[in-house]
Amino acid sequence: MTEAKLAPHLPDWMQDHARRYLSSGGTDGHMYKASPPGYPAMTVPSLLLTTTGRKSGEKFIFPLFYGQVGDSYLIVASKGGAPEHPGWYRNILADPNVEIQVGTARMKARARTAAGEERARLWEKALEFWPPYADYQRKTEREIPVVVLDPVR
């Protein structure tokens, strides 16, 4: 992931988190302590997702909370309940081949959007690791995508 750079326009807390994650090789930053408004403090697992920019062709890194489903990883394109999808999600729609770093492990993966019963089941799993997703869904008219990252062996 050396040629990749942090995605532009990330909030300061996300930039700080990603820099700590990257500079430590994943030993610091994998577990993120958060205090979302209206919720008790929690520790959430996070990964670094590297996508290829759909316009620029450049590689961008995004720190995201995740869950696990077997050997795959689950991420949510919430953007805090904004009316539009996050840039990383639009990037994977254009090119689903991504790289991820989970703690100190780095791997290539293929991203896909869950649908139907799978999405419903994985949405419930996502609410377990980050309950505020329910609030984000109430804030927006779009169905928030649930994305599965399948490692490429």
Side-chain angles (χ1 to χ4, degrees), residues 68 80 106 119 125:
Q68 272 196 270
R106 295 178 182 196
R119 185 207 178 271
K125 190 165 179 63

Side-chain angles (χ1 to χ4, degrees), residues 51-55 62 77 79 83-96 142 145 147:
T51 66
T52 302
R54 65 199 174 283
K55 296 176 187 170
F62 299 85
K79 198 174 181 182
E84 71 282 341
H85 295 310
W88 67 260
Y89 182 70
R90 295 189 309 263
N91 288 349
I92 65 164
L93 290 177
D95 182 356
R142 69 183 171 94
V147 175

Side-chain angles (χ1 to χ4, degrees), residues 12 14 16 30 37 45 59 62 70 72 97 117 120 136 144 150:
D12 289 344
M14 288 180 87
D16 293 344
H30 177 229
K59 296 211 178 267
F62 299 85
S72 299
N97 298 303
E117 183 279 325
Y136 304 164
I144 293 177
D150 295 312

Side-chain angles (χ1 to χ4, degrees), residues 91-107:
N91 288 349
I92 65 164
L93 290 177
D95 182 356
N97 298 303
V98 300
E99 294 173 33
I100 54 176
Q101 181 173 343
V102 183
T104 57
R106 295 178 182 196
M107 65 202 82

Side-chain angles (χ1 to χ4, degrees), residues 15-92:
Q15 290 181 40
D16 293 344
H17 174 220
R19 282 191 193 101
R20 193 170 69 248
Y21 207 125
L22 288 165
S23 68
S24 72
T27 59
D28 184 18
H30 177 229
M31 300 306 290
Y32 185 80
K33 290 182 169 64
S35 299
Y39 292 88
M42 57 185 87
T43 301
V44 190
S46 67
L47 57 73
L48 298 178
L49 172 71
T50 301
T51 66
T52 302
R54 65 199 174 283
K55 296 176 187 170
S56 68
E58 294 182 81
K59 296 211 178 267
F60 294 110
I61 300 168
F62 299 85
L64 301 168
F65 298 148
Y66 78 92
Q68 272 196 270
V69 186
D71 291 338
S72 299
Y73 300 92
L74 154 71
I75 56 177
V76 177
S78 68
K79 198 174 181 182
E84 71 282 341
H85 295 310
W88 67 260
Y89 182 70
R90 295 189 309 263
N91 288 349
I92 65 164

Side-chain angles (χ1 to χ4, degrees), residues 1 4 6 14 19 25 43 45 53 70 73 80 96-97 102 108 111 115-116 121 130 132-133 139 142 148:
M1 284 201 257
L6 284 183
M14 288 180 87
R19 282 191 193 101
T43 301
Y73 300 92
N97 298 303
V102 183
K108 292 186 181 305
R121 180 173 45 80
W130 190 247
Y133 286 142
K139 285 172 47 177
R142 69 183 171 94
V148 178

